[in-house]
Amino acid sequence: MRRRLSGVLVIAGATALLSGAAVPSQEAKPGGDAVDERSSGAQTLPEIRQATHGVIGGPHDFTSATGRARDACAACHVPHVLGVRPVTVAGRASTEADAGVADQAEAAPSPPDAKEERSRVAGEAEAAARQAILEMYRITGQSPAHEPNRFTPGATSLICLGCHDGTVASSMIGTAHAMLAGVREGFEVPDGFVWRDHPIGVPYPQRERGYVPRSRVEADGRIRLPEGRVECVSCHDPHNAAGEPYLLAMSNRRSALCLACHEK
Amino acid sequence: MKRQNVNSPKPREVGKARRRNAGGATVGRGSWTAGCLAGVLGSVCAIWLAGCASAGGSPGGAFEPATFSAESGELEAVVRGDLLEFEPGHDRMPKQNLLDRIIFGERRSAKRRLRTPQGMNFDGVTLLVCDQGGSGVAAITRADSVVRWMPNLGKESVAPLDVCTDDSGRVFIADSVAGVMCCPALTEASVDRWEVLLAPDEARRPVSVAVFGDVLAVGDARAGRIERVEVATGRRLEAIEYGAGGMRIVSPTGLAFTRDGSLLAADAVQGVVHRFDAEGTPLEPIGRPGRGEGEFVRPKDVCVIRSGRVVVADAGRQSVLVFDSEGRFLIEVRGGEGWSGFTMPGGVCAYDIAAGDEAEASERDDRGGDAREFIVVADTLGAPSLVLVELREVKPGGEEH
């Protein structure tokens, strides 16, 4: 729900931009260039950031680079998936196509197992809706590279690395950040190895001593562990909601971000 | 600095090649041995074999080709597998650091794999692969498929992203940190003579290079433009900043020239392949953003093959798309039934085996001309890292040329 709300806020911000709201006047180059903290309109850039969930005017704002307002979101998201309807309490269908299926199922004469059939259709519709909502927040179709017992980047990290490979944006592959070469598919790590850099694609060791339980880590929604794994979005928020340096998901003052997972 | 020689070629040893299991993961010799033992025992082996069959693997380690057909039925793309599958002599790598041992393991210690391959170039003899994770450029000769590392780049090249060669053998490298570098030739005598052609302050983040005649095109992702330089004189030509319809160039991550000197530029942010004529005048782009047929999410690299077809590697779609010379979509190569697909294709180049050999070109023409073409796809984060794909024309009756 929080994510959906975030998405709505971002879209609202982009809509405001389209309708002529104040926009940053400087060239907000994607990829980490310095951002001028002034704007041409009445609002200051921090205010715009606040209103648009930190995307507008941030390093992930491609509007000034492409000249298209929709690229506040569309550079990473696929807008045509927005035709998805949210799931109702009764588990009704979420998409137009699914709605048709569900309606047919409800309109049909009730055989003895009609209730079971309705339940199945509703379940499928709900699953489809969840998948569709997930698709809203990533580049659709991105398939994860998870392999059992291997540390590989998840689907969300692949989106980041699709740009942060040194081409579109600064590299997280060849540098000492994240995992130098560890993001390669099939990377194996021996027991007891001490990481020099923070890994991604690794299962969160919630049952090990020294780690905060996953439920507590994710409790306030700032730190995310997609599919129970540590990914780029675990420490960084591409929407820059917190307005922290390096797009950190939360302030790391007094190592707060580190200590959100690591018990020391 | 001396060339960092790699071992002499040796016959391939059975079972050393890494294989894909059911999920597409690579498994080593230990797993193979264990699998065979389990097979003797019975039921586990059956499961393993079923897994291999479903993923395109086989007990012998060979890759089962995955075939894709164009809607017109006139073209097929066949994923042949790992280009380095037959790399011989990989068990005497002279130098291996701790990270290599951790990554590749003791038993495979000598088989130096590419870490994060991106831009490539093939001149008919040598395939050059930019490997940012290795901070160098790998040179893979077709004759023995041994991976050698271009010397004297370790200190100068930090993040090589793309490479190209011109007709005279000069090598150009786009390094996003160090700038654009040039070497007179890839020979023992001249390989140490690297010079910086464009310093970082001249090309702020060079991410792609292509050369046609004496004109070198450099994609600058930070400035959002394509620089053009006359190599002989160093004179800067007018930079290209806009595509057709006034579309700004944002991130020209892949460049390629066609035979007539037209320039193609894959723009990873705009989601199109810009086209320009020899003078730099914008032409109608190839593709558009989206996930439909012939559309792009994150087009990272582009190449033109012998037939004039245009091949684009799209990291967002996790696929490779093929267009005809006019920009009409033909076929998409992506994972699916029988093949797990690319993880993040970041580079593509034509692998024309006759490009550097007239005799081979003649033989090729005798045996069917342009019916079969090959490309190599660099899967930056996937395995295998270099995937060989064959494109072949099909006669109307379904028979191959």
Side-chain angles (χ1 to χ4, degrees):
Chain A
M1 179 60 73
R2 182 186 174 91
R3 283 186 179 183
R4 208 180 303 172
L5 184 63
S6 305
V8 170
L9 283 173
V10 171
I11 294 162
T15 308
L17 195 66
L18 280 167
S19 62
V23 294
S25 61
Q26 84 299 337
E27 292 226 354
K29 285 286 182 188
D33 275 6
V35 175
D36 189 352
E37 291 291 321
R38 291 168 298 173
S39 68
S40 59
Q43 289 179 287
T44 63
L45 192 53
E47 288 170 340
I48 294 172
R49 275 189 179 150
Q50 182 80 19
T52 57
H53 218 229
V55 173
I56 305 299
H60 286 162
D61 177 8
F62 286 83
T63 52
S64 56
T66 63
R68 293 190 303 256
R70 72 177 181 87
D71 286 326
C73 306
C76 300
H77 299 279
V78 182
H80 65 246
V81 192
L82 291 175
V84 173
R85 281 195 282 152
V87 183
T88 64
V89 177
R92 286 287 304 273
S94 59
T95 64
E96 297 298 332
D98 291 334
V101 172
D103 290 344
Q104 283 175 19
E106 288 183 356
S110 297
D113 56 350
K115 187 176 178 182
E116 188 180 322
E117 176 63 12
R118 268 203 301 274
S119 173
R120 185 188 64 80
V121 171
E124 287 177 357
E126 185 170 349
R130 284 184 179 155
Q131 178 65 22
I133 289 167
L134 175 66
E135 294 291 308
M136 285 172 64
Y137 295 98
R138 67 182 201 188
I139 298 170
T140 57
Q142 202 83 14
S143 64
H146 286 163
E147 304 298 345
N149 304 318
R150 292 175 188 276
F151 298 163
T152 56
T156 56
S157 295
L158 284 177
I159 297 172
C160 306
L161 293 168
C163 288
H164 283 278
D165 63 347
T167 54
V168 179
S170 54
S171 177
M172 292 301 125
I173 291 176
T175 67
H177 187 66
M179 298 172 70
L180 179 62
V183 293
R184 269 204 73 72
E185 188 174 311
F187 184 65
E188 294 172 276
V189 180
D191 292 338
F193 176 66
V194 178
W195 291 98
R196 187 184 61 177
D197 309 302
H198 205 288
I200 58 167
V202 296
Y204 182 72
Q206 59 175 337
R207 288 189 174 83
E208 289 185 20
R209 290 186 64 182
Y211 291 91
V212 177
R214 182 184 167 189
S215 57
R216 271 173 51 201
V217 171
E218 295 184 295
D220 65 3
R222 288 184 295 181
I223 295 177
R224 285 168 281 180
L225 300 169
E227 300 175 48
R229 288 172 176 257
V230 179
E231 303 286 359
C232 301
V233 295
S234 300
C235 300
H236 300 277
D237 175 13
H239 296 134
N240 196 20
E244 295 292 332
Y246 308 109
L247 305 185
L248 291 179
M250 57 183 281
S251 169
N252 199 31
R253 182 177 161 79
R254 300 171 70 92
S255 302
L257 178 58
C258 306
L259 293 173
C261 296
H262 296 273
E263 286 181 331
K264 295 289 182 185
Chain B
M1 182 177 287
K2 291 181 180 178
R3 179 181 287 272
Q4 187 179 350
N5 282 325
V6 188
N7 28 345
S8 58
K10 284 174 63 179
R12 178 185 174 222
E13 294 178 43
V14 176
K16 277 207 169 183
R18 297 177 81 180
R19 294 172 290 273
R20 277 182 171 265
N21 65 6
T26 52
V27 292
R29 184 169 44 180
S31 301
W32 165 246
T33 308
C36 290
L37 288 172
V40 173
L41 293 173
S43 59
V44 177
C45 183
I47 296 169
W48 179 80
L49 285 171
C52 282
S54 67
S58 74
F63 186 92
E64 289 291 332
T67 303
F68 302 81
S69 297
E71 201 166 298
S72 65
E74 296 173 358
L75 182 69
E76 279 185 348
V78 185
V79 181
R80 288 294 186 185
D82 188 352
L83 183 75
L84 302 179
E85 178 73 15
F86 303 105
E87 176 189 350
H90 53 256
D91 55 352
R92 289 213 315 264
M93 189 72 183
K95 188 177 177 182
Q96 187 197 21
N97 61 29
L98 175 64
L99 189 60
D100 275 357
R101 281 208 299 278
I102 291 169
I103 294 171
F104 303 120
E106 291 290 350
R107 285 176 301 184
R108 296 191 297 273
S109 61
K111 190 162 186 176
R112 173 129 189 201
R113 288 272 169 172
L114 300 168
R115 289 182 185 163
T116 51
Q118 288 172 295
M120 297 179 292
N121 182 82
F122 184 63
D123 63 2
V125 178
T126 305
L127 177 70
L128 300 176
V129 186
C130 291
D131 189 348
Q132 212 187 145
S135 290
V137 178
I140 305 167
T141 52
R142 186 168 62 87
D144 55 19
S145 290
V146 172
V147 178
R148 298 178 175 85
W149 292 86
M150 294 182 70
N152 208 23
L153 274 173
K155 294 174 185 171
E156 297 174 25
S157 181
V158 181
L161 293 174
D162 200 7
V163 59
C164 69
T165 56
D166 67 5
D167 294 338
S168 63
R170 285 179 297 196
V171 182
F172 304 91
I173 293 176
D175 185 303
S176 62
V177 176
V180 179
M181 297 189 296
C182 174
C183 173
L186 195 61
T187 63
E188 291 281 1
S190 60
V191 78
D192 283 348
R193 291 162 49 197
W194 288 97
E195 59 184 54
V196 177
L197 197 64
L198 286 178
D201 58 340
E202 296 174 292
R204 297 171 65 192
R205 185 192 287 152
V207 295
S208 55
V209 283
V211 65
F212 185 79
D214 192 46
V215 175
L216 179 73
V218 178
D220 187 338
R222 181 65 63 87
R225 64 185 177 214
I226 300 169
E227 303 283 0
R228 293 184 299 165
V229 184
E230 278 186 357
V231 178
T233 62
R235 187 169 71 93
R236 301 280 285 269
L237 305 177
E238 187 181 359
I240 303 173
E241 296 186 338
Y242 293 91
M247 182 187 292
R248 283 183 64 171
I249 295 171
V250 179
S251 192
T253 52
L255 296 175
F257 280 103
T258 63
R259 280 182 186 168
D260 64 358
S262 297
L263 178 63
L264 304 176
D267 192 325
V269 172
Q270 292 283 24
V272 299
V273 174
H274 300 286
R275 289 200 295 182
F276 307 92
D277 67 14
E279 281 71 46
T281 306
L283 305 172
E284 193 66 21
I286 297 175
R288 62 179 183 177
R291 299 201 64 87
E293 280 195 347
E295 297 176 341
F296 302 119
V297 173
R298 198 71 73 211
K300 298 302 281 286
D301 201 7
V302 59
C303 75
V304 181
I305 57 179
R306 195 174 61 243
S307 61
R309 295 188 181 105
V310 177
V311 185
V312 182
D314 190 321
R317 293 188 70 136
Q318 296 174 296
S319 69
V320 167
L321 297 94
V322 183
F323 299 82
D324 68 12
S325 57
E326 301 299 317
R328 286 184 289 266
F329 172 71
L330 295 174
I331 200 168
E332 181 177 16
V333 179
R334 62 179 303 156
E337 193 69 29
W339 179 52
S340 58
F342 303 110
T343 299
M344 204 173 93
V348 63
C349 81
Y351 198 68
D352 187 358
I353 59 172
D357 191 318
E358 288 186 12
E360 281 192 342
S362 175
E363 184 184 344
R364 181 199 67 205
D365 291 340
D366 292 343
R367 297 173 65 177
D370 293 342
R372 300 175 70 182
E373 295 178 282
F374 291 89
I375 58 172
V376 179
V377 181
D379 196 346
T380 306
L381 295 177
S385 51
L386 298 181
V387 182
L388 183 66
V389 180
E390 177 185 350
L391 296 172
R392 61 189 184 198
E393 293 173 6
V394 179
K395 286 180 180 177
E399 185 184 342
E400 292 172 32
H401 274 289

